[in-house]
Amino acid sequence: MFFKVFRHSRIKNALTPLTPIFLLLSAALFIAPFFSASLYANQNWQKASELNQKGDRLIAQNRFDEALQAFAEAERLWSDSGFYATRQGNVYLWHKKDPAAALQHFDRALTQGGDRSVFTLRERGIAFCQIERYDDSEKAFQSALQLAEQNLAAVPAHQAKERTGALDEVLYTLGYASICKRDQKRYTEAVALADRGLALRPNSDNFALNEGKVHSEIWLAHAAFAAGRYEEAAAHYREAEGVIERSKPHRDWLKEFNPRFHRELAEQRLAVERQGIKPQYVHRMHVFFLKKARFDFKDLNGKQVVANDEINDDDREKAALFLQVLKRQLEAMSGGRLTIEYDITALDVTVTEMSVTAWGGQESRAPILDALPDEAADAYCDAARSVDTIWTFWPGRGSATTANGGALTYPCVPFQLNTPLRGYVSFPANWNAPDATVVYLHEFFHNIEAMSGINPTHGFQDQNRGRFPSWKGTGQMDYFRWHFQNTLPGNKPQPQTYANLNYLHRYPNTATEEVVMANRVAVARITLENRRQAKALAEQAHELYWNRKQHKAALEAAEKALAQNPYQRDALLLAGLAAGDLKKNELAAAYLQRLAPLHPELWVLQRLAYIQQWQLKDLPAAIRTFELIAERHPEESDRYPNYGRALMDADRLDEALVVLEQGRNSSKEDVAAQSAFWKGYLLGERMNRPSDALLLVQEGYNRGYRDSFVEFFLKKYSGSAVSERALAPDAPVTSPKTQRPVEAAASPMDCSHSDD
């Protein structure tokens, strides 16, 4: 919108649209050109002047309709020069946000003599700009500027006060014309108009001039930085730095945005290019635009929030620019050793539900991704196979309070199957003021914190900075750079390489297309609401099992979830684990058996096979599970000893020999040792071939498989005296470990607050 004072979204006491110039200067400054001295004695003029003052007081009290009535009555009494018609238009323009209605009054003012008023012509140009009638706007500004310059030239040099007022008219007209060019994205022209005014009054604190200049310089800098024109970017950022000293209204905003730091990053990125440094890691992202938002909910204070918004071309264009700036920033801060690459997909879906939580004293809102149509889940699921981070833009006008970053598991099948942990950014697409570069970096850094374990978040804040005593700088941008240069990369899993900053390899994707399809088919007839309730109950079971260690209560909660959705993956897993811990082995096996095609993680299948083979003595079932392990995880070799023993105990001796021979060839010494021994045992004890058994038993012993049972058969087959025959153990040498799954959703980390 025209003349929106761009600001950092976290500044609550932000600038509001500038009070029109006629309210900042004395009424006499405007009225003097309109009226001759003789009119001051006119009774109607006096009454109109009193109504004008009354209108000012009503505006100050936000009683705009009453102010309009006062100005209308003043116009009836005194219409010469169009001043009071212009004042009515001004109320519509600035306070009622209705530029079309304002133009009706400005046009009427022209017929009353307003064509000789810089004030009327300029306000008319602003109104045309707001409704995007840019040709008409330019004509109005040109007329206003020509008249303002004529008025300035007509004031004698010795009349300093009058010349100052006349020059102010010129500067404000140039400033508003510059702002209009900025809003058309004609940034070079906007800067030229502002510089024209600054040439007339160097170091001017004129708000409109500095408003038009500073944002246009920053947009030009961003575009140059994104395109790799680093010297040009640094020059534009440097121009923005100059506004800090001369424009107090922009000072706090600029200090938060920190154009000096942006300039330094452009210079550092130039140095990286000149040195030819190549990245150690390319952090890959997929960016999604969720097209529409249609929802209605109550916030945490009980206030109704209604959203009806859609991402537009401007949102997408600016987001693409900011992402490219983020790429350059990361390359600069990492000394060229980390970069990002990304693909962008626009999804024609509608956000209908929002998660509303309290975080750090703020209300945080983000789309509930599981509530999106299946096509969105398909897209997220597919993206997670090849990227580290998923970035979601959503329409946030009228509803967004925060952007969020951290880590998350994304839906593959809503409320049923999620991706492995991936980097997470949720971002209102309408947050696209020029200082959004700070927020983009802020959210991506939360992503870095989530994978690197930097704690606490927001370490740049006064209450947290004591945790990082080596950081001596100020401001969040400097804090981020300090981490990139000092604590990042970390030492895990590899020492001192930015390749550590990834999710893709830390959390590999094991959900094949077959698994995804199995889950889709399983829940196809279960309503989304039942799936939602089942997931909520499963989360309760998760808390009870893993955090409170209350296995009986966890089993009960999981079974309640399964009553809503018999195939709820998390509930089946927790029910199986809890039942096993409670020695309800048949129940545990039943739950894990149902889970197996939906969640064929290796450790889950190993747990199932363990219960079947050693607790229930159900060899056919155990063998089927080992076959599934071999199919799903062919590179996994831990299965060979127990798989071979299950086949042996089921009298499938030839198959057992094949499996145990495969185990002998394992790169894992313990697996190879056990497999060698059990093959020898099978040959000697089950196939009566003791001469063939000896070398294999010796091999197992020599490779580290040593206990009294093994030693007994080593002595037996080598001809040493033995006192008694040992029996084969009933349990495996090692039982499978239970792995705690990654949380379904790691807590997103809040960024910036907005009063949008």
Side-chain angles (χ1 to χ4, degrees):
M1 176 182 291
F2 178 85
F3 199 65
K4 177 179 179 181
V5 178
F6 290 124
R7 56 188 171 81
H8 193 286
S9 52
R10 292 189 299 136
I11 300 176
K12 289 189 175 181
N13 298 321
L15 299 170
T16 55
L18 182 67
T19 304
I21 185 65
F22 69 86
L23 294 179
L24 297 179
L25 302 177
S26 67
L29 180 63
F30 295 101
I31 297 173
F34 303 148
F35 309 114
S36 65
S38 63
L39 294 179
Y40 279 87
N42 184 285
Q43 186 177 14
N44 283 353
W45 182 91
Q46 184 63 40
K47 290 181 179 179
S49 179
E50 292 171 358
L51 287 166
N52 182 59
Q53 295 175 21
K54 178 182 178 181
D56 286 341
R57 292 192 298 271
L58 291 167
I59 288 174
Q61 299 169 26
N62 294 328
R63 295 161 64 182
F64 304 128
D65 289 333
E66 294 174 70
L68 284 170
Q69 293 174 7
F71 294 140
E73 178 62 17
E75 181 188 1
R76 187 186 66 78
L77 292 170
W78 197 265
S79 62
D80 284 8
S81 77
F83 178 71
Y84 294 114
T86 301
R87 292 229 57 183
Q88 292 170 69
N90 192 271
V91 172
Y92 278 102
L93 179 64
W94 296 108
H95 302 293
K96 296 178 78 69
K97 311 299 182 185
D98 189 346
L103 278 168
Q104 297 177 20
H105 295 281
F106 296 148
D107 288 346
R108 188 173 71 255
L110 292 181
T111 67
Q112 299 170 354
D115 57 336
R116 299 301 301 163
S117 163
V118 176
F119 173 41
T120 300
L121 294 171
R122 184 175 60 238
E123 294 293 288
R124 194 163 176 265
I126 293 171
F128 277 131
C129 197
Q130 286 196 11
I131 62 174
E132 300 181 7
R133 287 174 57 180
Y134 295 123
D135 289 343
D136 291 329
S137 176
E138 185 155 359
K139 291 176 184 177
F141 280 128
Q142 286 176 348
S143 297
L145 182 59
Q146 183 179 8
L147 180 58
E149 290 175 335
Q150 290 174 358
N151 292 343
L152 176 62
V155 179
H158 66 275
Q159 295 182 5
K161 183 177 180 180
E162 289 77 4
R163 283 192 65 84
T164 297
L167 179 57
D168 283 339
E169 292 274 41
V170 174
L171 299 186
Y172 271 106
T173 302
L174 285 168
Y176 284 120
S178 173
I179 292 170
C180 188
K181 294 292 187 183
R182 177 204 68 187
D183 288 354
Q184 297 173 64
K185 302 180 184 178
R186 295 163 66 175
Y187 302 121
T188 301
E189 295 174 64
V191 168
L193 285 167
D195 284 346
R196 184 173 161 186
L198 290 168
L200 294 172
R201 184 183 287 167
N203 296 318
S204 171
D205 64 351
N206 182 285
F207 183 89
L209 278 181
N210 287 294
E211 174 75 5
K213 180 174 175 63
V214 69
H215 295 296
S216 298
E217 293 283 11
I218 292 172
W219 283 119
L220 289 169
H222 289 341
F225 195 21
R229 303 192 304 272
Y230 306 119
E231 290 179 285
E232 179 185 337
H236 286 298
Y237 286 132
R238 187 177 289 107
E239 286 291 318
E241 289 179 64
V243 179
I244 292 178
E245 297 303 321
R246 65 174 177 260
S247 179
K248 185 177 180 180
H250 292 94
R251 193 164 298 154
D252 289 343
W253 178 85
L254 279 170
K255 286 182 177 179
E256 185 76 11
F257 169 71
N258 201 339
R260 176 189 60 79
F261 185 88
H262 281 74
R263 172 178 57 79
E264 290 175 358
L265 288 185
E267 293 166 347
Q268 289 169 348
R269 183 60 185 85
L270 177 62
V272 167
E273 182 177 80
R274 288 174 173 171
Q275 295 170 39
I277 299 173
K278 301 299 181 183
Q280 295 173 342
Y281 188 71
V282 177
H283 186 100
R284 302 194 181 279
M285 304 196 305
H286 202 109
V287 178
F288 289 104
F289 287 92
L290 308 181
K291 185 176 182 180
K292 301 174 185 176
R294 305 281 190 275
F295 51 78
D296 185 340
F297 67 90
K298 288 186 178 180
D299 66 14
L300 297 182
N301 294 319
K303 180 182 177 182
Q304 201 73 22
V305 178
V306 179
N308 185 0
D309 188 23
E310 185 169 330
I311 292 177
N312 58 40
D313 291 341
D314 183 63
D315 296 334
R316 283 186 287 270
E317 177 186 328
K318 288 178 178 175
L321 172 65
F322 290 134
L323 287 169
Q324 195 66 9
V325 170
L326 174 64
K327 172 185 173 74
R328 302 304 186 193
Q329 290 176 330
L330 296 172
E331 291 166 350
M333 288 190 292
S334 67
R337 291 169 290 176
L338 176 72
T339 189
I340 57 173
E341 298 290 347
Y342 48 87
D343 294 315
I344 298 176
T345 300
L347 294 175
D348 190 5
V349 297
T350 301
V351 177
T352 58
E353 296 186 38
M354 296 291 287
S355 168
V356 182
T357 57
W359 195 96
Q362 299 178 3
E363 180 168 307
S364 180
R365 301 171 184 170
I368 297 177
L369 301 179
D370 282 272
L372 294 173
D374 287 345
E375 65 181 280
D378 293 346
Y380 280 112
C381 191
D382 185 61
R385 300 182 193 282
S386 58
V387 301
D388 297 293
T389 291
I390 296 177
W391 190 304
T392 300
F393 288 103
W394 55 280
R397 292 176 184 84
S399 62
T401 54
T402 58
N404 297 286
L408 194 75
T409 61
Y410 288 85
C412 277
V413 179
F415 299 111
Q416 171 67 14
L417 172 65
N418 283 55
T419 70
L421 200 65
R422 292 291 179 260
Y424 164 75
V425 178
S426 173
F427 209 98
N430 58 296
W431 284 20
N432 52 25
D435 62 348
T437 51
V438 179
V439 188
Y440 275 62
L441 179 59
H442 183 122
E443 295 312 323
F444 188 83
F445 193 77
H446 280 321
N447 181 342
I448 296 291
E449 287 173 321
M451 76 174 77
S452 303
I454 296 174
N455 186 45
T457 62
H458 292 179
F460 53 87
Q461 294 177 336
D462 290 342
Q463 65 268 30
N464 295 328
R465 68 174 298 151
R467 295 288 295 273
F468 306 99
S470 298
W471 174 53
K472 305 300 183 183
T474 58
Q476 59 178 314
M477 299 285 279
D478 185 75
Y479 169 78
F480 300 148
R481 179 169 60 182
W482 178 82
H483 270 296
F484 269 95
Q485 294 176 347
N486 293 277
T487 67
L488 300 174
N491 289 315
K492 294 180 180 180
Q494 304 176 61
Q496 290 300 306
T497 171
Y498 282 85
N500 293 330
L501 301 183
N502 77 83
Y503 285 92
L504 187 61
H505 306 302
R506 288 174 180 237
Y507 306 99
N509 195 336
T510 58
T512 64
E513 286 290 346
E514 183 180 355
V515 171
V516 174
M517 184 57 65
N519 279 271
R520 285 178 184 159
V521 171
V523 301
R525 296 181 180 275
I526 299 172
T527 67
L528 195 66
E529 184 56 32
N530 279 8
R531 280 192 254 165
R532 185 199 306 268
Q533 293 178 15
K535 184 174 182 179
L537 289 165
E539 289 171 354
Q540 294 178 21
H542 180 101
E543 169 69 18
L544 291 166
Y545 185 85
W546 293 109
N547 296 335
R548 301 186 187 181
K549 312 300 181 184
Q550 298 177 10
H551 296 167
K552 182 179 179 181
L555 178 58
E556 292 172 353
E559 289 179 330
K560 288 180 181 178
L562 294 171
Q564 297 291 329
N565 174 6
Y567 303 99
Q568 216 297 320
R569 280 174 28 119
D570 298 332
L572 284 170
L573 174 61
L574 292 163
L577 295 177
D581 293 334
L582 296 169
K583 308 302 182 185
K584 298 181 178 182
N585 294 315
E586 290 187 3
L587 187 61
Y591 284 133
L592 294 177
Q593 185 73 53
R594 195 192 310 171
L595 175 65
L598 307 175
H599 188 47
E601 294 284 344
L602 176 59
W603 73 272
V604 173
L605 297 177
Q606 288 174 331
R607 170 67 59 175
L608 174 59
Y610 173 81
I611 294 173
Q612 292 167 331
Q613 183 175 11
W614 303 109
Q615 304 295 334
L616 300 179
K617 312 298 184 183
D618 187 347
L619 295 177
I623 290 170
R624 287 194 296 272
T625 301
F626 282 124
E627 290 171 347
L628 184 58
I629 292 174
E631 177 187 345
R632 298 285 189 184
H633 307 279
E635 302 302 319
E636 189 281 322
S637 62
D638 288 345
R639 68 182 182 275
Y640 290 122
N642 287 321
Y643 186 11
R645 291 179 65 181
L647 290 167
M648 178 181 68
D649 292 342
D651 291 327
R652 294 166 60 174
L653 303 185
D654 290 338
E655 295 172 76
L657 286 174
V658 172
V659 168
L660 292 170
E661 180 61 24
Q662 291 172 333
R664 282 184 66 207
N665 295 320
S666 170
S667 60
K668 291 185 175 182
E669 278 297 303
D670 59 335
V671 171
Q674 292 178 45
S675 298
F677 169 78
W678 285 108
K679 183 176 181 181
Y681 176 89
L682 187 158
L683 289 170
E685 299 300 305
R686 300 297 301 276
M687 303 182 77
N688 197 26
R689 293 162 55 184
S691 59
D692 295 329
L694 176 58
L695 291 177
L696 290 165
V697 171
Q698 286 178 331
E699 178 184 328
Y701 183 85
N702 291 337
R703 297 182 75 168
Y705 188 28
R706 299 174 182 179
D707 59 19
S708 59
F709 182 80
V710 175
E711 290 172 355
F712 173 88
F713 285 99
L714 180 61
K715 292 177 180 179
K716 176 180 178 179
Y717 295 138
S718 63
S720 301
V722 293
S723 59
E724 60 181 12
R725 178 187 175 92
L727 299 177
D730 288 335
V733 175
T734 57
S735 60
K737 294 181 179 179
T738 299
Q739 297 182 20
R740 178 171 180 162
V742 174
E743 303 292 338
S747 297
M749 302 172 189
D750 160 65
C751 166
S752 54
H753 188 273
S754 171
D755 296 318
D756 181 20

